[in-house]
């Protein structure tokens, strides 16, 4: 069964929200919030497929991190967090 981008975004958001509620670490909270904001926007794209979403979102995330001049350490942590919920 193929899922929509909105459904895949919801799956990842649910996992990130669970992590948010389980941590007191301010960095983890920031990384979760950062990803949740981007996922909300990306989930609105009319397309389907889990792998397609993951690839498209990863590229958009990388581009956004570069555009916003996020530090290398924060980039590493955000990307690692995303991988942990995939």
């Amino acid at each position: 069964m193929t899922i929509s981008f909105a459904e895949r975004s919801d799956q990842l958001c649910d996992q990130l929200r669970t992590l948010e509620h389980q941590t007191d670490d301010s960095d983890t909270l920031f990384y979760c919030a950062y990803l949740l904001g981007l996922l909300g926007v990306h989930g609105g794209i009319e397309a389907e497929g889990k792998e397609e979403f993951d690839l498209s979102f990863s590229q958009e995330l990388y581009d956004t991190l570069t555009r916003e001049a996020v530090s290398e350490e924060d980039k590493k942590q955000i990307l690692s967090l995303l991988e942990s919920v995939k």
Side-chain angles (χ1 to χ4, degrees):
M1 180 179 126
T2 303
I3 66 170
S4 70
F5 271 30
E7 291 168 321
R8 179 62 176 151
S9 176
D10 288 347
Q11 288 175 346
L12 296 172
C13 287
D14 288 347
Q15 292 182 56
L16 287 167
R17 285 188 192 101
T18 298
L19 284 173
E20 269 186 324
H21 296 314
Q22 294 174 347
T23 188
D24 292 326
D25 180 65
S26 61
D27 287 338
T28 301
L29 291 170
F30 170 76
Y31 302 143
C32 283
Y34 191 90
L35 286 170
L36 285 165
L38 289 175
L39 282 164
V41 171
H42 208 74
I45 296 172
E46 290 294 323
E48 292 187 344
K50 177 185 181 291
E51 291 79 19
E52 292 82 356
F53 178 89
D54 289 354
L55 180 63
S56 176
F57 181 73
S58 292
Q59 184 60 55
E60 181 62 30
L61 174 60
Y62 183 79
D63 291 348
T64 301
L65 292 169
T66 301
R67 202 170 39 252
E68 293 182 351
V70 173
S71 75
E72 287 304 312
E73 181 59 27
D74 284 345
K75 279 184 197 178
K76 186 174 108 179
Q77 294 300 323
I78 290 167
L79 294 170
S80 176
L81 179 60
L82 177 61
E83 285 303 310
S84 76
V85 297
K86 279 189 176 178

